[in-house]
Structure formats: structure tokens, C-alpha cells
Amino acid sequence: MGLTSKKLLVLVVVLAVAMFCATIWLWPRLSRTGVKPVAGRVGLLFGGQLTILAALGLAINSYFGFYSSFSDLLGTDQDPGQVVDYSSGGTPGKLGLQHLGHEAVGVAGGGNAAKAGRIDKVEIKGAKTGIVTPAYVYLPPQYFQPGFSKENFPAAVILTGYPGTAESLITRMKYPQTATEHIQKGKMQPMILVMLRPSVVPPRDTECMDVPNGPQVETFFTKDLRQAISANYRVGPSAQNWGIMGDSTGGYCAVKMSMQHPEAFSASVALSGYYSTHNDPTTGDLFGGSAQLKNESDMMWWLKHKPAPDIWTLVTTSRKGEGNYKQTLAFIKAVKQPMQVASIILPSGGHNFTTWNRELPAALDQLSQHLTQ
């Protein structure tokens, strides 16, 4: 049973209830003095609290999608494995992508890819950076329809927050389900979604930077990932064909990489994103003592000191419940041509999946409209 297994959660909950019942039942018998009764009471209290905390931890992890496995939690999930390339048709093929299987989109008619699309589970290996990370690739229904067999599609990189799990983009955020439904209703154009977390060298949070003498995560996203996906799926090669979107840390990464690399991404969306980063225990030293790198990681500094990039970006916040409200208003005010900015500002909403699910449908539609086939 894995860390996110419902069976494991049920088992731990049952154990917690059993420990509670055992404490009530056995406590009168252990009320005497002496080493054994005292040790018994301590054991019951410790066991009860441990199982309750474990149940709460598993439930919270399942809801928020912090860690996908025990190796992910412990930071030992580093093995790159053997890369076997597959093209979109499933034949041995091309650069930096191993196809691990596929699954249906959870909508009506999801078993038929030509009607509902498909989700591929893949592993991407960066040709330049050597970074290896799992991802999910959503393919729209048109990808499998004869009339579109020679068409390239726009694509968007979709990022979680930190630490996040790629699965949460399917189970909690429901990106593929929303995309299929909106494509079927004509609200958005057919688009490929590449879904993964920004922490591609777990457990470290690199804030999607090329760390001096460290992992080159920015290069992975702006070059390696786009190269691997374009080599294996029918995706347009230019920045006008590519967007990037994320929540929280993923939102910061989306805005930062589109602003700093308009040659890679022409459009971005930040759901509850922030606008600068810093060194903390999860990031380690990101700047290698460079004041310039630290400045460049601040998007407000970038807007003031660098030429405005020719991109479109959408930022979201809420007047009550979000910590980025004032910073978002300041960011919007600082944007200058040719950069374009749009926003979703809710009356209230916290930094959580509930808020992001309210923003996601309109944001995904807008992102789609700013990309070209």
C-alpha cells in the first residue's frame, strides 16, 4: 500500500479507533502502581496519539497532494531508470520521453479517446540537464480524430505548488476533465497539457531556477521539457504554441519563466502566485551569493529594470483570504507594453484547492485563446 492509498488511510483510521477503544477498556486494569501498569498506560497513550496523528497526516496529504510515495516523502526517489522512447502512436521513438501507460479522462465517454481525450503517464529525461521527472500528458479528443491527424496542437505546462504531486492536477484540480468539457462546449481550443510538479529534484524547492553549481531546473522547463514533448507529440515548436500555468509556487514559476523566457512561453497563468523568492530551508542557497540572481528572481525588479517581454499573463488573487492581494495589484500596475496582463480577483478565497478550482475554468479558457496552433 502506497502513501496515498485509501486502503492505508482506512487501515490507520481503524487502528486509531481500536487504540481508543483499547485505552478505555484497559485503563481501569492499568490504574495500579508499579512499572508494568505505568508502562501499559504510557504505551496506550503513545499508541493512541501516534495512530491519530498518522491518520490525520495521511488524510491531509491525500487532500493536498504533498507527497506521492514514501520515497518521495523521504527524498530517496532519485533513480532515473532506463529511458525507452515512444512516439505519440506508441512506437519506439524519440528524444527524452518514456511512456509508462495511459488512462481515460474521467468524463462521460472517457473510454473513447476520440471523444474524451486521453491521459498519458510519462517520464521525461532532460537532454541538457539530465533531470528526470514523471509527468502526465493530456491529449484532447481531436488528437485522435482523423480530421486532425496532421495538425499540430498548442501545449501548456501545468505546475502544482510545492511540494505537490502531479496526480493532484488530475484528482483535485481536474485539469483534463475541465479541458475536455470546455473543448466539447467550444469554450477553448484543443490543447495538450503537460502536468507535473515544479520540484523536479525532490525534496528541494528550486523555485524553477538554474541554481549555481546545482540543478538547472529553469533550463529543464524552458528547453528540455519542450524539446522532449515536441519530439514525441504533435506540438507546435514556437513560443506562440506554448503556455505555462500553475498555482502557488507553480504560479510564480509560470510568470517568472514566461517573463524571462518569452522565446519559450508566450502566455502564462498564476493562480495565487507570488512574485519573488528567497532562500529558506526548503530551497537552500539558490543564488550562490549573487545579488544579481536574487534581483532577477523578483518579478517587480524585472519589470522595473528589464525590457518588457512580449507575452500575455493572467494573475489571480482575492481581496480577503489571500496573502498576495497587494502584491498582485502592484504587479498589474507595473506591467508595461508590449506585455499584457489580465486578472481574476475574487471577493474572498483562501490559498487552497477550493479557490483555485473557482479560478481554473476561466483561466484555462483564456490561456487557450492566447496560444496558436
Side-chain angles (χ1 to χ4, degrees), residues 125-331:
K125 181 176 181 180
K128 293 181 180 294
T129 63
I131 291 173
V132 179
T133 190
Y136 291 93
V137 179
Y138 163 77
L139 302 170
Q142 287 77 5
Y143 196 88
F144 303 96
Q145 296 172 6
F148 293 83
S149 62
K150 296 182 180 180
E151 296 288 335
N152 285 337
F153 291 81
V157 177
I158 308 295
L159 301 175
T160 69
Y162 174 82
T165 63
E167 291 85 354
S168 69
L169 298 171
I170 301 171
T171 60
R172 295 289 303 157
M173 299 289 282
K174 299 187 183 301
Y175 272 96
Q177 299 90 323
T178 301
T180 291
E181 291 171 358
H182 283 214
I183 290 168
Q184 291 173 341
K185 293 177 181 178
K187 293 183 178 180
M188 62 178 284
Q189 66 171 319
M191 182 168 67
I192 293 172
L193 306 179
V194 186
M195 299 172 286
L196 68 166
R197 59 186 184 180
S199 50
V200 293
V201 286
R204 189 175 186 182
D205 174 17
T206 64
E207 300 283 287
C208 300
M209 285 187 59
D210 280 351
V211 181
N213 301 312
Q216 305 295 286
V217 176
E218 187 174 317
T219 297
F220 173 80
F221 280 113
T222 58
K223 292 184 172 63
D224 284 347
L225 182 144
R226 292 177 71 253
Q227 187 179 37
I229 295 298
S230 295
N232 289 276
Y233 295 97
R234 301 197 308 274
V235 178
S238 76
Q240 300 304 316
N241 311 128
W242 281 87
I244 185 167
M245 177 174 179
D247 59 77
S248 191
T249 297
Y252 166 71
C253 288
V255 170
K256 179 175 82 76
M257 287 192 286
S258 63
M259 288 180 62
Q260 295 182 348
H261 295 277
E263 80 286 354
F265 302 108
S266 62
S268 59
V269 175
L271 306 179
S272 302
Y274 46 92
Y275 304 98
S276 65
T277 189
H278 55 274
N279 291 359
D280 65 27
T282 66
T283 65
D285 180 10
L286 294 177
F287 310 122
S290 170
Q292 183 67 19
L293 276 181
K294 185 174 182 179
N295 285 336
E296 291 179 353
S297 73
D298 184 333
M299 295 302 98
M300 295 299 293
W301 183 94
W302 191 276
L303 286 171
K304 185 177 180 180
H305 294 90
K306 296 283 187 176
D310 187 8
I311 64 166
W312 172 89
T313 190
L314 170 66
V315 293
T316 79
T317 187
S318 60
R319 294 184 180 89
K320 182 179 180 181
E322 281 281 20
N324 74 336
Y325 176 61
K326 291 183 179 179
Q327 293 92 335
T328 297
L329 295 184
F331 178 82

Side-chain angles (χ1 to χ4, degrees), residues 75-159:
T76 59
D77 191 6
Q78 302 286 339
D79 295 336
Q82 179 65 40
V83 175
V84 179
D85 296 330
Y86 291 83
S87 70
S88 58
T91 57
K94 303 173 184 177
L95 181 70
L97 188 141
Q98 180 181 2
H99 189 280
L100 304 177
H102 61 264
E103 59 188 75
V105 178
V107 296
N112 186 337
K115 291 184 177 181
R118 191 179 77 190
I119 302 170
D120 287 357
K121 185 173 184 179
V122 302
E123 186 174 74
I124 299 170
K125 181 176 181 180
K128 293 181 180 294
T129 63
I131 291 173
V132 179
T133 190
Y136 291 93
V137 179
Y138 163 77
L139 302 170
Q142 287 77 5
Y143 196 88
F144 303 96
Q145 296 172 6
F148 293 83
S149 62
K150 296 182 180 180
E151 296 288 335
N152 285 337
F153 291 81
V157 177
I158 308 295
L159 301 175

